[in-house]
């Protein structure tokens, strides 16, 4: 016959295996030894995510209470079967079975697994593996207003862009035809940086024809080539110069 000695507690353990011989009516003893190992955490999953901001929350089923438990280690990588230690839970808290992970890079897929760690720093087998893609968030674009200058025959177009942390540039499109149109003209493309707050933008058109309505919108594009079109706004260019009233004498 064969027998296997599996300690329930972590660390090196010894014991004695006794068995009885019926035919010879005697008891034999064999010394046994082994190293206990924590079981793998189960059911690792993503329970909450703000992936556009590079944050997720992992959760798993805690292992049964065992003497010698220390913490959980969280592993992450951008390829399957992660081996890079990303984080860990509080020491000694076997009920710490969730972990918030932040600072994840947009446009990247991550793979995660979890292992239990004992007081000898030995790890359990890995949990199941989960993966999550951090999407590229498009810029938030708002077209606001335009003002026409009768003396120059040009209009100033205005809008706002929130790059949401990704390097972004923006420009205005305008035409006397409804947008989008193949004949639309554009202003100079301007760099807006990679902030996470609204950036106000205004620019001037080329000379416009009189007596026409014009349509315009603000357009943004980030470093991942994700384009965002703002709402379309229209304004009218009068047929004759509209001069401000003369100051009273």
């Amino acid at each position: 016959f064969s027998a296997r000695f599996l300690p329930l507690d972590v660390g090196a353990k010894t014991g004695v295996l006794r068995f009885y011989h019926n035919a010879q009516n005697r008891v034999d003893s064999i010394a046994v030894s082994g190293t206990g190992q924590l079981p793998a955490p189960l059911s690792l999953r993503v329970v909450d995510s703000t992936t556009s901001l590079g944050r997720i929350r992992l959760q798993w089923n805690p292992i049964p209470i065992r003497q010698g438990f220390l913490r959980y280690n969280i592993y992450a990588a951008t390829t399957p079967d992660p081996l890079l230690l990303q984080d860990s839970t509080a020491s000694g808290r076997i009920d710490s079975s969730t972990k918030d992970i932040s600072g994840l890079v947009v446009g990247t897929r991550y793979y995660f697994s979890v292992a239990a760690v004992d007081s000898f720093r030995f790890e359990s087998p890995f949990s199941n593996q989960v993966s999550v893609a951090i999407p590229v968030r498009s810029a938030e674009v708002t077209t606001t207003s335009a003002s026409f200058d009768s003396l120059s025959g040009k209009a100033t177009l205005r809008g706002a862009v929130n790059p949401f942390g990704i390097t972004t540039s923006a420009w205005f499109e305008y035409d006397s035809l409804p947008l989008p149109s193949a004949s639309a003209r554009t202003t100079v493309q301007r760099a807006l940086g990679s902030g996470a707050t609204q950036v106000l933008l205004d620019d001037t058109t080329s000379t416009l024809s009189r007596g026409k309505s014009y349509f315009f919108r603000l357009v943004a594009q980030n470093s991942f080539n994700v384009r965002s079109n703002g709402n379309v706004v229209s304004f009218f260019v009068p047929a004759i110069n509209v001069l401000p009233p003369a100051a009273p004498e």
Side-chain angles (χ1 to χ4, degrees), residues 50-212:
T50 313
T51 52
S52 60
L53 300 178
R55 296 196 298 262
I56 65 168
R57 173 171 291 178
L58 297 174
Q59 187 177 70
W60 56 93
N61 294 349
I63 65 172
I65 296 176
R66 295 284 183 89
Q67 181 180 350
F69 170 83
L70 181 63
R71 62 172 180 266
Y72 295 100
N73 280 348
I74 296 93
Y75 289 85
T78 55
T79 56
D81 303 319
L83 295 176
L84 178 65
L85 181 62
Q86 169 81 15
D87 210 334
S88 62
T89 61
S91 294
R93 291 288 303 276
I94 203 164
D95 58 338
S96 296
S97 56
T98 61
K99 190 65 180 182
D100 292 330
I101 307 294
S102 61
L104 303 176
V105 178
V106 296
T108 305
R109 177 171 289 276
Y110 289 88
Y111 298 82
F112 296 91
S113 60
V114 175
V117 184
D118 66 29
S119 54
F120 294 92
R121 303 304 193 272
F122 291 119
E123 287 189 332
S124 73
F126 286 121
S127 68
N128 59 298
Q129 178 180 268
V130 295
S131 70
V132 60
I134 309 302
V136 177
R137 184 172 185 176
S138 59
E140 184 178 79
V141 182
T142 305
T143 311
T144 54
S145 64
S147 57
F148 179 71
D149 179 44
S150 295
L151 294 179
S152 67
K154 300 178 181 180
T156 298
L157 311 179
R158 302 178 185 87
V161 177
N162 187 336
F164 287 121
I166 305 174
T167 301
T168 300
S169 58
W171 62 93
F172 288 96
E173 293 179 343
Y174 60 98
D175 200 350
S176 57
L177 298 175
L179 295 175
S181 74
S183 58
R185 288 178 278 179
T186 62
T187 61
V188 175
Q189 186 170 326
R190 299 188 182 278
L192 304 181
S194 58
T197 57
Q198 194 175 69
V199 179
L200 300 179
L201 184 68
D202 62 75
D203 214 335
T204 304
T205 67
S206 57
T207 302
L208 302 177
S209 299
R210 303 284 182 160
K212 285 187 174 183

